[in-house]
Amino acid sequence: MRKLIAAMKTSVDAKVEGPEGVADWVEAWSDDYDLTPQVDACLLGAGMYPGYAQYWTPIRNEPDKPHPLTGQPPTAAEIEWSRFAAKTPHYVLSTTMKSALWPNTSFLRGLDDVLALKQRPGKDIYLIGGARTTANLIDAGLVDELRLIVYPLIAGEGKALFATTERRRGLEPRKVEELPDGRLSLIYGIG
Ligand SMILES: NC(=O)c1ccc[n+]([C@@H]2O[C@H](COP(=O)([O-])OP(=O)(O)OC[C@H]3O[C@@H](n4cnc5c(N)ncnc54)[C@H](OP(=O)(O)O)[C@@H]3O)[C@@H](O)[C@H]2O)c1
């Protein structure tokens, strides 16, 4: 069965966004988890999907221009991700959403659909977020690996990755790596 790999950027207090709804301590949203070679599908929760599509659409359409949300030009790695993402099927987990801005997007309506996606042939699946979806799918035993990039920051107020987690779960440490600027890359297997 294909692996479902969750990968997110958090503060030391496991916040994935600040009070304004963005993780403003993250300078770029490219794939920093080395996942692109091994995945051919992306899974996202309905909460994060609109912001995701809004962020990546201008980078895909006008990579040479400053980003309308940040005022900064996209990085080379962001342009690379937008190209990869444009050709890679995206699945949004939602009971309510009916239309999507990003190309190549379809909807999954519940946990059974996520299991069915994992059972289809293919490479691994990148679970991009957000917090509730990742917590929910880990609780359901559907996530095989967790990759975190932890920023050297106590964010305080904001959305915590595991705020809605219901079950205790042991993790199998696989790799710890120190990244530039004091960030840590942590990879755990989930049994
Ligand atoms: N720091 C990072 O690396 C990172 C990465 C990604 C996202 N984020 C942040 O995460 C935030 C979004 O997280 P979030 O927790 O608010 O929302 P979310 O996890 O993106 O989406 C939650 C929604 O997903 C759907 N869902 C979840 N589990 C489901 C299930 N079992 N069956 C059917 N639908 C299910 C539901 O949609 P319906 O209500 O439509 O049913 C639910 O309301 C974003 O604002 C973004 O800033 C951060």
Side-chain angles (χ1 to χ4, degrees):
M1 189 152 55
R2 307 158 91 179
K3 278 195 292 179
L4 181 59
I5 301 171
M8 295 183 80
K9 299 177 180 190
T10 78
S11 59
V12 167
D13 52 341
K15 299 290 161 57
V16 294
E17 63 179 43
E20 310 298 332
V22 283
D24 60 358
W25 55 89
V26 175
E27 56 298 318
W29 288 100
S30 38
D31 166 30
D32 295 328
Y33 314 97
D34 295 330
L35 275 172
T36 39
Q38 77 185 77
V39 300
D40 64 1
C42 297
L43 175 57
L44 304 84
M48 73 161 288
Y49 181 78
Y52 174 92
Q54 198 188 5
Y55 187 81
W56 290 105
T57 297
I59 299 178
R60 188 192 73 223
N61 292 344
E62 297 184 309
D64 300 332
K65 295 213 171 134
H67 195 285
L69 295 176
T70 64
Q72 301 296 317
T75 64
E78 284 187 312
I79 295 168
E80 196 181 321
W81 169 259
S82 75
R83 289 187 181 139
F84 176 82
K87 63 178 189 205
T88 302
H90 279 47
Y91 298 89
V92 179
L93 183 59
S94 172
T95 56
T96 59
M97 278 187 75
K98 294 193 170 54
S99 65
L101 187 62
W102 192 255
N104 217 352
T105 297
S106 49
F107 295 100
L108 305 179
R109 297 303 182 193
L111 299 176
D112 288 348
D113 286 353
V114 177
L115 180 60
L117 176 65
K118 287 185 69 178
Q119 287 171 333
R120 269 185 238 160
K123 295 165 103 176
D124 292 336
I125 305 159
Y126 174 10
L127 173 56
I128 299 180
R132 279 176 292 157
T133 300
T134 302
N136 185 238
L137 295 182
I138 290 175
D139 272 342
L142 289 166
V143 180
D144 304 282
E145 194 174 289
L146 177 64
R147 298 189 184 196
L148 297 176
I149 293 180
V150 181
Y151 282 66
L153 167 82
I154 296 168
E157 206 183 323
K159 188 170 283 180
L161 176 52
F162 299 114
T164 60
T165 295
E166 292 175 353
R167 290 191 201 142
R168 174 172 167 154
R169 197 171 278 278
L171 300 173
E172 179 198 315
R174 293 212 173 132
K175 192 172 174 192
V176 178
E177 198 181 349
E178 207 172 325
L179 303 178
D181 306 322
R183 295 169 300 147
L184 285 178
S185 161
L186 308 174
I187 302 182
Y188 296 101
I190 307 181

